[in-house]
Amino acid sequence: MTEETKAKIRRYNSNIAVSGRGVFAFGVWTAIKTIISVMFNITDIRNQLRDIPQEEIDNTIKLIYITMFVICLLVLLIHGYVGISAVRYGRGRRKSKKFRIGAVILVFITISFIISDIASASKAGYVQVAEFVADCTLLFMLIDMLYSMSMARLTVKREQG
């Protein structure tokens, strides 16, 4: 293998690892953002439920907290699995590429969020613009990671003949 080919593979593997760290970080950010959003809007949620008895409001709030916890856990698990697996793969400590399935799922979820951000652009404030930029950044990282994996594989195949 030539030095140029080795350098390309190292660059692709570095891109995979860096993108993996970014995916993990965005998963943590999404979970934190979700928790903060629910905590700061709990008064608004209570006000919207004011027509039902207090006991049902308390049960609904508990259900909202449980749902939020489950969603945050799922976000952390998917982003964590894809991110940590990509870092290990990029460093050469992991041979399995199964995490690509999770990355592709995240691509489709992120695209749906971007479409949602664009659809709600008429009422866009600073928060919505920030979410749109964050979603686009995550999409770019996921696509870069998948592209780098493909290019590294193609580079090795070309070198081997």
Side-chain angles (χ1 to χ4, degrees):
M1 204 176 296
T2 66
E3 288 302 316
E4 183 180 334
T5 303
K6 288 178 185 178
K8 280 183 182 181
I9 293 171
R10 277 194 307 271
R11 186 176 67 235
Y12 291 135
N13 285 338
S14 175
N15 283 353
I16 294 166
V18 169
S19 295
R21 284 188 205 101
V23 169
F24 181 77
F26 270 90
V28 171
W29 163 247
T30 302
I32 290 170
K33 181 183 73 167
T34 302
I35 291 169
I36 290 172
S37 295
V38 170
M39 294 300 190
F40 281 130
N41 292 321
I42 203 68
T43 305
D44 293 337
I45 294 169
R46 281 188 182 277
N47 288 338
Q48 290 176 357
L49 300 173
R50 67 178 172 258
D51 295 337
I52 57 176
Q54 183 63 35
E55 184 178 303
E56 289 183 38
I57 291 175
D58 292 340
N59 289 337
T60 303
I61 297 296
K62 287 177 188 175
L63 183 63
I64 289 170
Y65 283 141
I66 291 169
T67 305
M68 176 192 64
F69 176 76
V70 170
I71 289 171
C72 289
L73 188 63
L74 286 173
V75 165
L76 286 173
L77 285 173
I78 294 170
H79 281 81
Y81 173 71
V82 171
I84 291 170
S85 297
V87 170
R88 287 182 181 161
Y89 183 85
R91 290 181 178 171
R93 295 186 187 143
R94 183 182 181 100
K95 300 287 183 200
S96 175
K97 298 177 189 176
K98 291 178 185 175
F99 68 95
R100 286 186 305 175
I101 297 167
V104 170
I105 291 169
L106 284 176
V107 164
F108 287 114
I109 291 171
T110 305
I111 289 172
S112 71
F113 285 153
I114 290 172
I115 292 169
S116 171
D117 293 340
I118 291 170
S120 66
S122 62
K123 58 180 178 177
Y126 294 120
V127 173
Q128 288 78 19
V129 172
E131 286 178 3
F132 176 75
V133 171
D135 290 339
C136 288
T137 304
L138 177 59
L139 181 63
F140 175 78
M141 283 189 292
L142 288 164
I143 289 172
D144 181 54
M145 179 177 59
L146 294 168
Y147 172 79
S148 294
M149 288 179 72
S150 297
M151 290 307 294
R153 185 177 47 84
L154 286 173
T155 302
V156 170
K157 278 187 176 182
R158 271 193 225 129
E159 187 67 26
Q160 291 174 349

